[in-house]
Amino acid sequence: MVTADEIEDPDRLDLRCEVAGETRQDTNTAYLIFGVRDLVAYASSVMTLYPGDVIATGTPAGVGPLSDGDRVVVEIEKIGRLEVGVDGSRATPYASRPGHRRS
């Protein structure tokens, strides 16, 4: 956890994402459509945010598919690292999802 005084400019932080040890994204918060301050202001206007909360905003190109057993690691400069495992054991196969068009 970091406080606002620890980060000079949240809109200039390197962000990296790895899936199963493969770098899928290497970018910067400068490329977000909405700035970090705007995202936090909006999120906190519709819900209470607590220390440790994560605001997921979407993703740039490159993340690709995930598979059961993968490890996803997201690291943001000066903030920290989030590491999660993928459990697809109860996932619905893509071809069985509503709206899937068979070719």
Side-chain angles (χ1 to χ4, degrees), residues 1-10 13 37 51-52 78-79:
M1 183 169 81
V2 296
T3 56
D5 62 317
E6 295 177 85
I7 297 175
E8 186 176 324
D9 186 356
L13 299 175
R37 290 172 185 89
K78 300 180 183 179
I79 294 179

Side-chain angles (χ1 to χ4, degrees), residues 7 9 18 20 32-33 54 58 61 75 94 99 102:
I7 297 175
D9 186 356
E18 292 181 0
L32 289 168
I33 294 171
V54 174
E75 190 163 5
Y94 186 77
R102 301 188 197 293

Side-chain angles (χ1 to χ4, degrees), residues 3-4 13 16 18 22 27 29 38-39 42 47 56 60-62 68-69 72 76 79 83 85 87-88 90 103:
T3 56
L13 299 175
R16 190 173 159 90
E18 292 181 0
E22 173 193 353
T27 190
T29 57
D38 290 335
L39 292 168
Y42 174 75
M47 68 185 80
D68 185 41
V72 179
I76 302 176
I79 294 179
E83 192 168 333
D87 178 358
R90 297 186 308 165
S103 37

Side-chain angles (χ1 to χ4, degrees), residues 46-96:
V46 296
M47 68 185 80
T48 301
L49 296 176
Y50 296 97
D53 282 352
V54 174
I55 301 171
T57 62
T59 183
V63 80
L66 301 174
S67 299
D68 185 41
D70 281 349
R71 266 230 52 91
V72 179
V73 179
V74 178
E75 190 163 5
I76 302 176
E77 171 189 13
K78 300 180 183 179
I79 294 179
R81 176 182 175 106
L82 175 67
E83 192 168 333
V84 296
V86 175
D87 178 358
S89 61
R90 297 186 308 165
T92 301
Y94 186 77
S96 300

